[in-house]
Amino acid sequence: MSPPKAPSTTSASEPRREQRRNGLGVSAGIAIGRAYLIGRDTLKAPRHHVEADDVDTEIARLKKALSASDKQLEKIKAKLASENESDYHIIDAHQLMLQDEHLVDRANTYISDELICAEWALRKAVDNIVSVFDAVEDEYLRERRSDVEFVFERVLRNLLGREAGPLSPPPDAIVVAYDLSPADTALLHKAAVAGLLTDAGGKTSHTAIIARAHEIPAVVGLEDLTEVVETDDLLILDGTAGVVIVNPSAATVAEYREEQRQQAAAAAVLMTNRAEPALTSCGVPIAMLANIDGPDEIDDALEYGAVGVGLVRTEYVYMTSDQLPEEQQHYESAKSLLEKMAGRPVTLRTFDLGADKLARFLEEADLGEANPALGLRSIRLCLASLGMPLFVSQLRGLLRASMHGPMRIMFPMISGVGELREARAVLDGVKADLRAEGIAFDEGIKVGIMIEMPSAALMSEMLAHECDFFSIGTNDLIQYTMAVDRVNEHVSYLYEPLHPALLRLIGEIASNAKRAGITATICGEMASDAVIVPVLIGLGLRDLSMSAVSIPEVKSAIRKFSVAEAEALVAEIRNLPTVEEVRTAVERFATSRKLVRAAKAG
Ligand code: PEP
Ligand code: MG
């Protein structure tokens, strides 16, 4: 990470004061860097003063952005010209605006007279024009206001370099956005950003999960941070404490650099233990598995000590590409996973699209659902005519790959026995086709289900007789048990893994699995919380699947208590009626055994 540059604000503006904001820390670690702001619907024009020496540069930037906008409009016009006369003329009018002296000359004057950046000057010039439109009586003319805004937005995008791709922050930037789609987050990790901050979001939003998987420190649920931060502001992000500091003083930066150093040292100590077995202090083995999105995460999973992959979120192959994957791609991706895991077990979940995990083909289908989290998503989509061809080609690809290593197939969001039977029937049909075609696959392949809705938890006794394993998806199980949207920051206070209702459901699922002689893994983010893990062990779980980066800390925690102690903890909390009482007891246990390093106070 590069050291912070000197603040870019000048004496022409008041130095901006240090401000501290609290949100939900969803991916641990400290980042110190410059803000890269992504506005909500429209982009926000940064407002900076500039030095007199920079005036020519700002004017040149504006000129370049105007000319790029003109070229883009020319292209659009060429496409529209043959199709629609009136649109063609609108584009003409927009191009004329790009040369309008009221816009261009005035913006240049603002830059040189008021020493402000091109974006701010452009906004002021646009505001001027817009105020004239607002004042006129004629409705048609008043509506032309939106044309000016349209042109402004385009030039602004070019000024901010946002036209080349959806998001292009410089490396080491801290991205500040109202919200980020999981696909955006996946792309941002490739851009090597230092941290992520969002106004919206919850602890188990998929954005948070991806941030953790790629070890990008992140804080979400900051409500109005995008209103407070400007591009290039210096920021400190503490993903453990859920704190953001805008325009920190030099003393604060030094304090956080020291904390960053201590965290790195603590992580290094944990990593030295990674080869040790994951045994409780009484010697009971706990399987430490990784949750991943694709083959490129295997190296990290092994590095952190995973003994297998408990969840592959295969839908990411649909989300990050414009082309729908074909059978061969599923085959190759699964084969590569199995080969890299070299004989260790891999559980592949069939695609779980919908709600916040949107793919291009779903956007195009435009389902128009009022409640996508309760809608045609996940296994429901696979079993509907819209998703069936994708489901079948995925199952064919996976089954063919099953010859390359120990693979398990898992269906997400199963609501009950009927739906499980339906999904199994499709799988059986695919197997029959492969046999008829003489294509080999693992005839003994294990088939399991995610338990992530209360109906499945309540039916777990019967479900356990019709599948080979359970994987408890607590991220969704909490959402559907508590009726709390997992990505909604306004109700995140209710999103509580230690809610007594949830613990009862997990206990029920674990004992039904045990009675039927099948394994139950936890693959929700709850498994990665070293404070909570004793509760899971006490409830009878022995298989934990999590973001790979959490494995060293969870493993170190497991080695510090016995199964009998974990069971005593569960017995103690079993009759506690509120989350607060449960949390107090669980944290007391964790502190007494030093399960986690004391975090810096937020
Ligand atoms: C879950 O719901 O807990 C889970 C692991 O699945 P996802 O987070 O992908 O919905
Ligand atoms: Mg889920």
Side-chain angles (χ1 to χ4, degrees):
M1 193 177 301
S2 57
K5 291 179 275 178
S8 61
T9 44
T10 70
S11 52
S13 63
E14 281 288 298
R16 299 180 66 222
R17 287 271 199 81
E18 174 172 313
Q19 273 193 61
R20 201 169 272 256
R21 294 289 177 124
N22 291 301
L24 280 173
V26 294
S27 180
I30 288 173
I32 303 173
R34 297 278 158 187
Y36 175 86
L37 183 68
I38 300 166
R40 186 175 186 172
D41 295 315
T42 53
L43 296 171
K44 195 175 157 196
R47 294 174 177 227
H48 298 299
H49 283 274
V50 296
E51 303 282 2
D53 287 354
D54 292 333
V55 163
D56 287 347
T57 315
E58 288 306 297
I59 291 179
R61 279 183 66 228
L62 181 58
K63 192 170 171 205
K64 198 167 151 210
L66 289 164
S67 133
S69 305
D70 188 50
K71 284 199 190 110
Q72 289 153 3
L73 289 174
E74 193 61 41
K75 258 197 187 163
I76 300 172
K77 196 168 70 175
K79 191 163 175 286
L80 287 176
S82 56
E83 300 165 7
N84 186 324
E85 257 312 270
S86 78
D87 283 353
Y88 174 84
H89 288 306
I90 289 171
I91 304 282
D92 257 341
H94 288 177
Q95 282 181 295
L96 282 176
M97 271 185 232
L98 294 171
Q99 297 151 25
D100 186 338
E101 62 189 43
H102 294 293
L103 187 76
V104 184
D105 294 356
R106 198 169 276 167
N108 286 339
T109 309
Y110 284 135
I111 294 175
S112 51
D113 288 358
E114 300 187 16
L115 294 180
I116 58 177
C117 65
E119 292 90 343
W120 191 357
L122 183 71
R123 181 70 254 176
K124 286 183 73 149
V126 166
D127 285 347
N128 242 299
I129 301 175
V130 163
S131 66
V132 176
F133 278 122
D134 281 346
V136 294
E137 293 285 328
D138 184 290
E139 198 179 327
Y140 173 78
L141 277 180
R142 261 203 327 266
E143 280 175 6
R144 301 288 60 78
R145 181 190 200 285
S146 62
D147 290 327
V148 185
E149 291 289 358
F150 172 90
V151 170
F152 167 70
E153 172 94 12
R154 176 170 296 280
V155 182
L156 184 59
R157 278 184 186 282
N158 281 302
L159 271 171
L160 296 172
R162 288 281 309 279
E163 208 54 28
L167 298 169
S168 49
D172 287 344
I174 295 184
V175 172
V176 183
Y178 172 74
D179 200 2
L180 291 167
S181 70
D184 282 342
T185 313
L187 292 173
L188 283 170
H189 121 259
K190 298 209 168 81
V193 296
L196 301 175
L197 297 170
T198 62
D199 290 348
K203 229 180 169 90
T204 63
S205 63
H206 289 98
T207 301
I209 291 170
I210 299 171
R212 266 195 297 283
H214 296 295
E215 299 174 61
I216 310 172
V219 180
V220 304
L222 287 153
E223 306 221 327
D224 64 349
L225 191 74
T226 47
E227 307 290 313
V228 174
V229 167
E230 296 174 5
T231 285
D232 271 351
D233 275 348
L234 183 61
L235 300 177
I236 295 177
L237 178 174
D238 182 344
T240 313
V243 168
V244 180
I245 303 167
V246 186
N247 296 310
S249 67
T252 311
V253 172
E255 183 192 328
Y256 274 86
R257 287 231 180 273
E258 173 56 19
E259 173 64 15
Q260 214 173 21
R261 200 191 57 71
Q262 287 185 20
Q263 284 187 6
V269 169
L270 285 175
M271 282 302 275
T272 60
N273 300 336
R274 74 180 185 281
E276 303 204 349
L279 299 175
T280 58
S281 63
C282 56
V284 172
I286 307 295
M288 306 296 282
L289 307 159
N291 292 347
I292 63 168
D293 298 341
D296 61 329
E297 290 179 34
I298 292 282
D299 290 346
D300 273 356
L302 294 175
E303 174 74 13
Y304 285 114
V307 295
V309 171
L311 167 65
V312 184
R313 290 184 164 97
T314 62
E315 55 278 0
Y316 280 83
V317 35
Y318 292 88
M319 282 163 53
T320 48
S321 129
D322 284 349
Q323 302 291 322
L324 285 181
E326 303 198 341
E327 176 186 328
Q328 188 60 15
Q329 204 178 331
H330 290 297
Y331 166 75
E332 274 161 20
S333 169
K335 175 173 176 275
S336 148
L337 275 169
L338 292 164
E339 285 174 352
K340 284 184 161 192
M341 287 303 285
R344 300 174 187 88
V346 177
T347 303
L348 286 124
R349 175 173 76 184
T350 57
F351 74 82
D352 182 35
L353 288 170
D356 73 323
K357 287 188 280 194
L358 271 184
R360 174 67 55 96
F361 90 93
L362 268 180
E363 280 169 321
E364 278 161 9
D366 193 13
L367 297 174
E369 295 179 305
N371 292 304
L374 305 179
L376 189 64
R377 59 168 295 204
S378 195
I379 195 70
R380 304 164 184 188
L381 180 64
C382 293
L383 296 174
S385 51
L386 178 62
M388 184 62 82
L390 305 175
F391 189 38
V392 167
S393 69
Q394 180 174 42
L395 290 175
R396 283 183 63 97
L398 295 185
L399 282 173
R400 281 172 51 207
S402 66
M403 295 304 285
H404 297 278
M407 174 200 285
R408 309 196 302 176
I409 289 181
M410 173 160 80
F411 299 126
M413 295 278 297
I414 290 289
S415 59
V417 174
E419 208 165 26
L420 169 58
R421 288 182 184 166
E422 242 186 284
R424 289 202 79 134
V426 178
L427 182 67
D428 288 344
V430 172
K431 284 182 178 175
D433 288 348
L434 290 176
R435 274 185 215 111
E437 293 165 41
I439 298 174
F441 63 90
D442 174 7
E443 288 281 355
I445 193 161
K446 299 269 184 279
V447 178
I449 60 170
M450 300 272 299
I451 304 263
E452 47 189 343
M453 54 177 86
S455 61
L458 293 169
M459 291 305 292
S460 53
E461 186 183 354
M462 291 183 185
L463 285 164
H465 296 296
E466 305 213 11
C467 63
D468 302 312
F469 63 92
F470 286 162
S471 195
I472 309 175
T474 49
N475 303 338
D476 277 313
L477 189 58
I478 301 172
Q479 158 165 274
Y480 294 122
T481 303
M482 301 301 299
V484 168
D485 180 350
R486 65 195 258 188
V487 296
N488 184 335
E489 71 280 15
H490 303 299
V491 285
S492 58
Y493 67 96
L494 280 169
Y495 192 94
E496 245 303 342
L498 288 177
H499 194 286
L502 190 81
L503 299 183
R504 279 166 194 238
L505 288 179
I506 295 175
E508 186 73 13
I509 301 163
S511 48
N512 284 330
K514 193 170 176 198
R515 263 200 296 277
I518 65 170
T519 53
T521 306
I522 288 257
C523 67
E525 291 301 305
M526 202 172 163
S528 64
D529 189 334
V531 173
I532 293 180
V533 159
V535 179
L536 301 177
I537 306 293
L539 286 169
L541 292 151
R542 299 290 179 265
D543 295 71
L544 307 176
S545 193
M546 65 199 82
S547 312
V549 63
S550 304
I551 291 177
E553 187 179 43
V554 172
K555 192 196 280 185
S556 144
I558 279 168
R559 296 170 62 82
K560 294 180 184 156
F561 60 85
S562 67
V563 169
E565 286 168 330
E567 285 172 351
L569 173 65
V570 166
E572 179 191 345
I573 61 179
R574 178 154 283 139
N575 295 317
L576 297 178
T578 65
V579 171
E580 291 71 23
E581 288 158 277
V582 175
R583 191 162 273 287
T584 304
V586 172
E587 286 181 351
R588 197 184 313 117
F589 182 91
T591 311
S592 69
R593 282 158 183 80
K594 296 196 173 52
L595 299 190
V596 288
R597 174 179 174 263
K600 186 173 179 11

